[in-house]
Amino acid sequence: MSGTSPSTTATRAEYCVVACAEAWRDAGEVLASPMGTVPMIGARLAKLTFSPDLLLTDGEALLIADVPAVGAAPRVVEGWLPYRQHLAMVTTGRRHVMMGASQLDRYGNQNISCIGDWAQPKRQLLGVRGAPVNTLNNPTSYWVPKHSTRVFVERVDMVSGVGYDRAAAAGPSATRYHRLPDVISDLGVFDFETPDRTMRLRSLHPGVTVAEVVAATGFALTVPDEVPYTREPTAEELRVIRDEIDPKELRDREVPS
């Protein structure tokens, strides 16, 4: 990679927020479903800047018209989104969810169910939840706040979210709406824009090296000859993040400086 890290006052967490926000750039009128503090801030930043038509919820069942600070109640409610209607939006592709991942492999298969053999796991996690339906029906991105070989693994112990290889093996019914646009971690941004649909390093957060990312990943990444840095937050974006969306600096608890 060429170039040097840009000089900036933004923290690592704020670069992660901007990277998450970019996942919803020009999304139009779709429901953003961010899971995690940094993705939640990112979705709200996108709504307040370059994706004004984005739909946000209070995290439960209300569609909100304003963009309150994280943890604050909305002042303007514009709709009711009961669970059945939420599922209807999922199955018709009108949502972009950003999920977490306890394990993630090179093809984007995600595990949030268990660690170890499914018949007798070493550790029980959340369960499969809605991950299969999410990945086969609407865009699904992933947020990993601590990039390590424990998360980025050669083979997930159980498939919850469906990756590109398994979707292809299942045929057209699985691939028709299957799309994994982004994987964002505390080290960089990744995608699957490769001929074999395996994970590629798309950008590095400033202060991170390619060697660090490779060492923290348990499979062979595609690494282009030139890897750019994740774009820097604008002065206005930093103001919105710090003063309006996250004045309590909760982002720094998820991604410490």
Side-chain angles (χ1 to χ4, degrees):
M1 191 188 76
S2 64
T4 58
S5 180
S7 175
T8 181
T9 59
T11 65
R12 178 71 60 82
E14 288 162 346
Y15 274 98
C16 292
V17 166
V18 166
C20 289
E22 286 289 346
W24 287 288
R25 180 177 284 276
D26 301 324
E29 195 176 43
V30 302
L31 180 66
S33 292
M35 300 180 185
T37 300
V38 166
M40 184 186 302
I41 299 168
R44 295 182 186 203
L45 178 63
K47 170 76 172 179
L48 287 173
T49 54
F50 45 72
S51 295
D53 294 330
L54 202 63
L55 300 178
L56 300 178
T57 75
D58 65 345
E60 295 185 11
L62 299 178
L63 284 171
I64 59 177
D66 62 334
V67 183
V70 175
R75 297 180 297 275
V76 182
V77 174
E78 64 179 354
W80 168 247
L81 190 66
Y83 192 61
R84 63 182 180 276
Q85 187 59 38
H86 197 131
L87 287 177
M89 295 186 76
V90 171
T91 55
T92 53
R94 293 177 291 165
R95 182 179 78 147
H96 184 165
V97 59
M98 187 172 289
M99 300 184 70
S102 300
Q103 293 180 327
L104 199 63
D105 71 18
R106 71 179 72 218
Y107 291 100
N109 293 293
Q110 170 235 35
N111 175 24
I112 52 172
S113 183
C114 64
I115 301 298
D117 184 80
W118 182 82
Q120 193 170 1
K122 298 176 183 177
R123 184 172 299 172
Q124 182 66 51
L125 304 175
L126 290 173
V128 173
R129 312 288 287 193
V133 175
N134 288 344
T135 48
L136 296 183
N137 288 279
N138 57 218
T140 303
S141 294
Y142 293 109
W143 160 243
V144 179
K146 190 172 182 179
H147 193 126
S148 74
T149 54
R150 294 182 63 182
V151 179
F152 290 81
V153 297
E154 182 66 40
R155 180 184 175 90
V156 297
D157 292 338
M158 180 179 177
V159 175
S160 303
V162 179
Y164 278 102
D165 59 338
R166 288 179 174 268
S173 62
T175 59
R176 185 177 181 185
Y177 300 114
H178 180 265
R179 188 163 71 91
L180 309 178
D182 300 283
V183 175
I184 298 149
S185 81
D186 61 330
L187 298 184
V189 181
F190 308 81
D191 61 27
F192 300 90
E193 298 302 316
T194 56
D196 59 355
R197 288 298 199 176
T198 56
M199 196 179 295
R200 177 186 72 155
L201 175 59
R202 191 166 82 208
S203 73
L204 293 165
H205 301 326
V208 179
T209 67
V210 169
E212 285 181 88
V213 174
V214 170
T217 305
F219 52 81
L221 274 170
T222 296
V223 180
D225 293 336
E226 297 288 330
V227 183
Y229 286 104
T230 304
R231 80 163 178 87
E232 189 169 357
T234 66
E236 176 61 11
E237 286 172 333
L238 287 177
R239 187 197 66 77
V240 170
I241 293 169
R242 295 170 181 178
D243 298 343
E244 296 186 25
I245 304 175
D246 187 29
K248 295 182 179 179
E249 300 181 348
L250 300 177
R251 60 195 180 279
D252 293 321
R253 298 183 190 179
E254 195 163 51
V255 182
S257 298

